[in-house]
Amino acid sequence: MDPNHADAISVDVAVIGGGPAGSTVASLLKKYNPELSVLILEKEHFPREHVGESQLPGISAILDEMGVWDKVEQAQFPIKIGASYTWGQDADLWDFDFYPAEEFIDEPRPAKFEGQRRLTAFQVDRAQYDEILLRHAEQLGTEVREGVRVVDVLTEGDRVEGFRLDTGETVTARHYIDASGHVGLIRRAMGVESQAPETLRNIAMWDYWDNAKWAIEIGTGGTRVQVRSLPYGWIWFIPLGPSRASVGLICPSSYYKERGLSPKALYHEALAQQPEIRELIADAKSETGDEVLSTKNWSQLADRLVGENWWLCGECAGFADPILAAGMTLAHTSAKEVAYSILELDRGELSPKWVRERYDEKNRRNIQQHIQFAEYWYAANGCFTDLQDHCVEIAKKTGLKLKPNEAWRWLAQGGFTTESVDRATFGSFDLGSSKQIVEKFAGAQADFQIAKFNSYKLNLLGAKKAYIGSLQDGRIERVECYQRGQNVLPTIGYYGAMIEMLKKTGDAKTIYELLARQIAAKENPGAVQIAIFAHLQALEAMITDGWVQAKHDPKRPKMSIGQGGGRLIRSNEEGNAALASKQE
């Protein structure tokens, strides 16, 4: 192929797809290496509508790193404090907040990425949001070509040799990125299979409503997403602006086929059966009129995410059911990982094999963990009275038990370092939140191991020294860790602090007191308990993964562990009472 040919375009990085994944990888590449030539090829013209409007707090830090936080905040999208659910063994209404609603300060907007806004998320109009991100990538120097289709991915072995466009042009690059969503152009061209659990093969139907009400307003621009169970699925209600909302229905594809109704008929039947959602759109007008939008909504995971000179990120790499609102988080985080990986390969200071394997293994485990957590959510929903077979099948195929300890062991198999190497997380939530979910669904307490015992000993028997990557300022820093089987124990962040603490003492009371003193010397008073709990969650993960042996000495006191560091889960009645007391 002659790169000097009139119809040949040669760049450093060619990206298929201008959505959040494509824009994120391009922006970070241009931020940290402005000399790179980056091309985004997008088949549509922006702005364009897209489903998937509800975010998680982890995205906000990536937006800030991209340099686009202020632009997104300027758009005045609703601030997502959390979500309100009917889900679990009964039909009670409960809230899952990222940040206590009654503590949310009523501050003017646009606000900076600091304080409480680091712990909240956005609910975005995707047409507007995606265009903000794409234009930002363009302003940083990315070449963006809209209305251009990649009609053929040219390959040789495990290499991509170029893209053939519908314009007749051919694009060649040193690195090729597939951010094309479920289409997965490079994934398909390279013959990479994608595994989709049959039990999470759902259909999504949705519409946008003008003049919709918010279920709740918290401070300036804050609200909660509404999720309501039906016997055959669930409905979402996501405020996208002062009066515009996204309202959708999720149900198994098998149920959709059995009913034999059109998407529009099934959608409106669901709305008629859910009085709370129906009330919110009573005075609203549908934007689609005679039709609703629909798509298959299957959780899936590609068998591999990287090749010799190509990368998969975003939905073409994997997708987890929207009940966890993790879709955009997975898109942004995997795109950031691709950008960092390419930057390191170009520097040539790290082993290319290690860089590629790290990306593939870390992100596949992250996606799988989200899928596994979604399976637990569905299996635990007793409100699906017409879908018991569906839930039983999920439990049977995964070996899932709903008893708290059994469920937690099953869920924890994915490890706690797939999203962050310095703190214990699970499926975009901290351990405190995850354990509260297990308790809520199982109707019994999922105790912290650290609360049962009071003597701890570091256990590195059989472990070997290895390295994991920590992403900072455009560099993948190789961080020493311990590895035993698939379990990894990092030596930085909260994990590193607990390792050093356990070298000094194994006594629960002494550990707590030392942590409190050390943290109080560095943090403001309001953040001390949260920071202590974050350290103790790392210790909890270390016990679960076998890095710490825990015992109970009846002569010594135990730790008193609350859920204060986890996101707040409580009844809707309790949450509303707390808000009302604040307003008084």
Side-chain angles (χ1 to χ4, degrees), residues 392-426:
V392 168
E393 191 67 15
I394 289 175
K396 184 171 69 175
K397 287 197 173 185
T398 59
L400 172 61
K401 304 294 184 182
L402 293 182
K403 294 180 181 178
N405 289 338
E406 293 172 323
W408 185 248
R409 280 196 296 270
W410 179 79
L411 290 168
Q413 290 172 0
F416 301 103
T417 60
T418 55
E419 290 181 270
S420 175
V421 299
D422 62 348
R423 63 191 65 204
T425 59
F426 182 87

Short mmCIF file of all heavy atoms in Angstrom, two decimals, residues 392-426:
data_model
loop_
_atom_site.label_atom_id
_atom_site.label_comp_id
_atom_site.label_asym_id
_atom_site.label_seq_id
_atom_site.Cartn_x
_atom_site.Cartn_y
_atom_site.Cartn_z
N VAL A 392 -33.95 -18.10 38.36
CA VAL A 392 -33.43 -19.40 38.78
C VAL A 392 -32.35 -19.87 37.83
O VAL A 392 -31.33 -20.44 38.24
CB VAL A 392 -34.57 -20.43 38.87
CG1 VAL A 392 -34.01 -21.85 39.02
CG2 VAL A 392 -35.49 -20.12 40.03
N GLU A 393 -32.56 -19.63 36.54
CA GLU A 393 -31.58 -20.03 35.53
C GLU A 393 -30.26 -19.29 35.73
O GLU A 393 -29.18 -19.86 35.60
CB GLU A 393 -32.13 -19.76 34.13
CG GLU A 393 -31.32 -20.38 33.00
CD GLU A 393 -31.36 -21.89 32.99
OE1 GLU A 393 -32.22 -22.48 33.68
OE2 GLU A 393 -30.50 -22.49 32.32
N ILE A 394 -30.34 -17.99 36.03
CA ILE A 394 -29.13 -17.22 36.32
C ILE A 394 -28.38 -17.83 37.49
O ILE A 394 -27.17 -18.06 37.43
CB ILE A 394 -29.48 -15.74 36.64
CG1 ILE A 394 -29.96 -15.03 35.36
CG2 ILE A 394 -28.28 -15.01 37.21
CD1 ILE A 394 -30.44 -13.62 35.61
N ALA A 395 -29.12 -18.10 38.56
CA ALA A 395 -28.48 -18.66 39.75
C ALA A 395 -27.87 -20.03 39.47
O ALA A 395 -26.76 -20.33 39.90
CB ALA A 395 -29.50 -18.74 40.88
N LYS A 396 -28.61 -20.86 38.72
CA LYS A 396 -28.14 -22.22 38.45
C LYS A 396 -26.88 -22.23 37.60
O LYS A 396 -25.92 -22.94 37.88
CB LYS A 396 -29.25 -23.01 37.76
CG LYS A 396 -28.88 -24.48 37.53
CD LYS A 396 -30.10 -25.26 37.03
CE LYS A 396 -30.49 -24.85 35.63
NZ LYS A 396 -31.59 -25.68 35.10
N LYS A 397 -26.86 -21.39 36.56
CA LYS A 397 -25.73 -21.40 35.63
C LYS A 397 -24.47 -20.81 36.26
O LYS A 397 -23.36 -21.12 35.83
CB LYS A 397 -26.08 -20.63 34.36
CG LYS A 397 -27.06 -21.39 33.46
CD LYS A 397 -27.08 -20.84 32.06
CE LYS A 397 -27.93 -21.72 31.16
NZ LYS A 397 -27.88 -21.30 29.75
N THR A 398 -24.63 -19.94 37.22
CA THR A 398 -23.46 -19.30 37.82
C THR A 398 -23.06 -19.95 39.14
O THR A 398 -22.02 -19.61 39.70
CB THR A 398 -23.74 -17.82 38.09
OG1 THR A 398 -24.86 -17.71 38.97
CG2 THR A 398 -24.03 -17.08 36.81
N GLY A 399 -23.89 -20.87 39.64
CA GLY A 399 -23.61 -21.46 40.95
C GLY A 399 -23.86 -20.47 42.07
O GLY A 399 -23.36 -20.62 43.18
N LEU A 400 -24.66 -19.45 41.80
CA LEU A 400 -24.88 -18.37 42.76
C LEU A 400 -25.82 -18.78 43.88
O LEU A 400 -26.87 -19.37 43.66
CB LEU A 400 -25.47 -17.17 42.02
CG LEU A 400 -25.94 -15.98 42.86
CD1 LEU A 400 -24.78 -15.40 43.63
CD2 LEU A 400 -26.57 -14.94 41.97
N LYS A 401 -25.42 -18.48 45.10
CA LYS A 401 -26.27 -18.66 46.27
C LYS A 401 -26.62 -17.28 46.81
O LYS A 401 -25.79 -16.37 46.80
CB LYS A 401 -25.55 -19.46 47.35
CG LYS A 401 -25.04 -20.81 46.89
CD LYS A 401 -26.16 -21.76 46.52
CE LYS A 401 -25.61 -23.13 46.14
NZ LYS A 401 -26.68 -24.06 45.73
N LEU A 402 -27.84 -17.11 47.28
CA LEU A 402 -28.27 -15.78 47.74
C LEU A 402 -27.97 -15.54 49.22
O LEU A 402 -28.19 -14.45 49.71
CB LEU A 402 -29.76 -15.59 47.47
CG LEU A 402 -30.12 -15.50 45.98
CD1 LEU A 402 -31.61 -15.27 45.82
CD2 LEU A 402 -29.35 -14.39 45.30
N LYS A 403 -27.51 -16.55 49.94
CA LYS A 403 -27.11 -16.30 51.33
C LYS A 403 -25.91 -15.36 51.32
O LYS A 403 -25.02 -15.48 50.48
CB LYS A 403 -26.74 -17.61 52.02
CG LYS A 403 -27.93 -18.55 52.19
CD LYS A 403 -27.50 -19.85 52.88
CE LYS A 403 -28.69 -20.78 53.04
NZ LYS A 403 -28.29 -22.07 53.67
N PRO A 404 -25.87 -14.38 52.23
CA PRO A 404 -24.85 -13.32 52.17
C PRO A 404 -23.42 -13.81 52.01
O PRO A 404 -22.70 -13.37 51.12
CB PRO A 404 -25.04 -12.57 53.50
CG PRO A 404 -26.48 -12.78 53.82
CD PRO A 404 -26.81 -14.17 53.35
N ASN A 405 -22.99 -14.74 52.86
CA ASN A 405 -21.59 -15.16 52.79
C ASN A 405 -21.29 -15.90 51.50
O ASN A 405 -20.23 -15.73 50.89
CB ASN A 405 -21.25 -16.04 54.00
CG ASN A 405 -21.19 -15.24 55.29
OD1 ASN A 405 -21.01 -14.03 55.26
ND2 ASN A 405 -21.36 -15.91 56.41
N GLU A 406 -22.23 -16.75 51.05
CA GLU A 406 -22.01 -17.50 49.82
C GLU A 406 -22.01 -16.55 48.62
O GLU A 406 -21.20 -16.68 47.70
CB GLU A 406 -23.09 -18.56 49.66
CG GLU A 406 -23.01 -19.67 50.71
CD GLU A 406 -24.19 -20.61 50.65
OE1 GLU A 406 -25.32 -20.13 50.40
OE2 GLU A 406 -24.01 -21.81 50.88
N ALA A 407 -22.96 -15.61 48.62
CA ALA A 407 -23.02 -14.65 47.51
C ALA A 407 -21.76 -13.80 47.46
O ALA A 407 -21.21 -13.55 46.38
CB ALA A 407 -24.25 -13.75 47.68
N TRP A 408 -21.28 -13.37 48.62
CA TRP A 408 -20.10 -12.51 48.65
C TRP A 408 -18.87 -13.26 48.16
O TRP A 408 -18.05 -12.71 47.42
CB TRP A 408 -19.87 -11.96 50.05
CG TRP A 408 -18.74 -10.97 50.10
CD1 TRP A 408 -17.54 -11.12 50.71
CD2 TRP A 408 -18.72 -9.69 49.46
NE1 TRP A 408 -16.77 -10.00 50.50
CE2 TRP A 408 -17.47 -9.11 49.74
CE3 TRP A 408 -19.63 -8.98 48.69
CZ2 TRP A 408 -17.10 -7.87 49.27
CZ3 TRP A 408 -19.27 -7.74 48.23
CH2 TRP A 408 -18.02 -7.19 48.52
N ARG A 409 -18.73 -14.53 48.54
CA ARG A 409 -17.59 -15.32 48.05
C ARG A 409 -17.64 -15.46 46.53
O ARG A 409 -16.63 -15.37 45.85
CB ARG A 409 -17.58 -16.70 48.71
CG ARG A 409 -17.01 -16.70 50.12
CD ARG A 409 -16.66 -18.12 50.57
NE ARG A 409 -17.85 -18.96 50.67
CZ ARG A 409 -18.59 -19.08 51.76
NH1 ARG A 409 -18.26 -18.40 52.85
NH2 ARG A 409 -19.64 -19.86 51.78
N TRP A 410 -18.84 -15.69 46.01
CA TRP A 410 -19.00 -15.84 44.56
C TRP A 410 -18.68 -14.53 43.84
O TRP A 410 -17.95 -14.51 42.85
CB TRP A 410 -20.43 -16.28 44.24
CG TRP A 410 -20.70 -16.45 42.79
CD1 TRP A 410 -20.35 -17.51 42.00
CD2 TRP A 410 -21.40 -15.54 41.94
NE1 TRP A 410 -20.78 -17.30 40.72
CE2 TRP A 410 -21.43 -16.11 40.65
CE3 TRP A 410 -22.00 -14.29 42.13
CZ2 TRP A 410 -22.04 -15.48 39.56
CZ3 TRP A 410 -22.61 -13.67 41.06
CH2 TRP A 410 -22.62 -14.25 39.79
N LEU A 411 -19.19 -13.44 44.34
CA LEU A 411 -18.97 -12.14 43.72
C LEU A 411 -17.51 -11.73 43.81
O LEU A 411 -16.96 -11.11 42.88
CB LEU A 411 -19.84 -11.08 44.40
CG LEU A 411 -21.34 -11.18 44.13
CD1 LEU A 411 -22.11 -10.28 45.09
CD2 LEU A 411 -21.67 -10.82 42.70
N ALA A 412 -16.85 -12.07 44.91
CA ALA A 412 -15.49 -11.61 45.15
C ALA A 412 -14.45 -12.36 44.32
O ALA A 412 -13.27 -12.01 44.35
CB ALA A 412 -15.14 -11.75 46.64
N GLN A 413 -14.86 -13.37 43.56
CA GLN A 413 -13.91 -14.13 42.76
C GLN A 413 -13.19 -13.28 41.73
O GLN A 413 -12.09 -13.61 41.30
CB GLN A 413 -14.62 -15.29 42.06
CG GLN A 413 -15.07 -16.39 43.00
CD GLN A 413 -15.94 -17.42 42.30
OE1 GLN A 413 -16.20 -17.32 41.09
NE2 GLN A 413 -16.39 -18.42 43.04
N GLY A 414 -13.80 -12.17 41.34
CA GLY A 414 -13.16 -11.31 40.34
C GLY A 414 -12.05 -10.46 40.91
O GLY A 414 -11.34 -9.79 40.16
N GLY A 415 -11.90 -10.46 42.23
CA GLY A 415 -10.85 -9.66 42.85
C GLY A 415 -11.33 -8.23 43.11
O GLY A 415 -12.39 -7.82 42.67
N PHE A 416 -10.50 -7.48 43.84
CA PHE A 416 -10.89 -6.13 44.24
C PHE A 416 -9.98 -5.05 43.64
O PHE A 416 -10.08 -3.90 44.02
CB PHE A 416 -10.85 -6.02 45.77
CG PHE A 416 -11.76 -7.00 46.45
CD1 PHE A 416 -11.26 -8.14 47.04
CD2 PHE A 416 -13.13 -6.80 46.46
CE1 PHE A 416 -12.10 -9.06 47.66
CE2 PHE A 416 -13.98 -7.69 47.08
CZ PHE A 416 -13.46 -8.84 47.68
N THR A 417 -9.09 -5.42 42.73
CA THR A 417 -8.16 -4.44 42.16
C THR A 417 -8.36 -4.27 40.66
O THR A 417 -7.48 -3.77 39.97
CB THR A 417 -6.70 -4.86 42.43
OG1 THR A 417 -6.46 -6.15 41.83
CG2 THR A 417 -6.41 -4.94 43.91
N THR A 418 -9.51 -4.70 40.14
CA THR A 418 -9.71 -4.61 38.70
C THR A 418 -9.94 -3.18 38.22
O THR A 418 -9.63 -2.84 37.10
CB THR A 418 -10.91 -5.48 38.26
OG1 THR A 418 -12.06 -5.09 39.01
CG2 THR A 418 -10.63 -6.95 38.50
N GLU A 419 -10.51 -2.33 39.08
CA GLU A 419 -10.76 -0.95 38.68
C GLU A 419 -9.70 0.01 39.22
O GLU A 419 -9.34 0.98 38.57
CB GLU A 419 -12.14 -0.51 39.16
CG GLU A 419 -13.28 -1.18 38.43
CD GLU A 419 -14.62 -0.70 38.91
OE1 GLU A 419 -15.16 -1.31 39.85
OE2 GLU A 419 -15.13 0.27 38.35
N SER A 420 -9.24 -0.23 40.43
CA SER A 420 -8.27 0.66 41.05
C SER A 420 -7.23 -0.17 41.78
O SER A 420 -7.57 -1.12 42.49
CB SER A 420 -8.98 1.60 42.04
OG SER A 420 -8.06 2.39 42.74
N VAL A 421 -5.96 0.19 41.62
CA VAL A 421 -4.90 -0.59 42.25
C VAL A 421 -4.56 -0.09 43.65
O VAL A 421 -3.77 -0.73 44.34
CB VAL A 421 -3.61 -0.57 41.39
CG1 VAL A 421 -3.87 -1.17 40.03
CG2 VAL A 421 -3.04 0.84 41.27
N ASP A 422 -5.16 1.00 44.08
CA ASP A 422 -4.79 1.55 45.39
C ASP A 422 -5.90 1.46 46.43
O ASP A 422 -5.70 1.81 47.58
CB ASP A 422 -4.32 3.00 45.26
CG ASP A 422 -5.41 3.92 44.73
OD1 ASP A 422 -6.45 3.41 44.25
OD2 ASP A 422 -5.22 5.14 44.78
N ARG A 423 -7.09 0.99 46.02
CA ARG A 423 -8.19 0.91 46.97
C ARG A 423 -9.08 -0.27 46.60
O ARG A 423 -9.09 -0.72 45.46
CB ARG A 423 -9.00 2.20 46.99
CG ARG A 423 -9.68 2.54 45.68
CD ARG A 423 -10.22 3.95 45.70
NE ARG A 423 -9.14 4.92 45.79
CZ ARG A 423 -9.30 6.15 46.28
NH1 ARG A 423 -10.47 6.53 46.73
NH2 ARG A 423 -8.28 6.98 46.32
N ALA A 424 -9.85 -0.76 47.56
CA ALA A 424 -10.71 -1.92 47.33
C ALA A 424 -12.05 -1.46 46.73
O ALA A 424 -12.77 -0.68 47.34
CB ALA A 424 -10.96 -2.65 48.65
N THR A 425 -12.33 -1.95 45.54
CA THR A 425 -13.60 -1.62 44.87
C THR A 425 -14.20 -2.89 44.30
O THR A 425 -13.52 -3.89 44.10
CB THR A 425 -13.39 -0.61 43.73
OG1 THR A 425 -12.48 -1.16 42.76
CG2 THR A 425 -12.85 0.70 44.25
N PHE A 426 -15.49 -2.82 44.00
CA PHE A 426 -16.17 -3.96 43.39
C PHE A 426 -17.28 -3.45 42.48
O PHE A 426 -18.23 -2.84 42.95
CB PHE A 426 -16.75 -4.90 44.45
CG PHE A 426 -17.41 -6.10 43.84
CD1 PHE A 426 -16.66 -7.22 43.54
CD2 PHE A 426 -18.73 -6.06 43.47
CE1 PHE A 426 -17.25 -8.30 42.92
CE2 PHE A 426 -19.33 -7.14 42.85
CZ PHE A 426 -18.59 -8.26 42.58
#
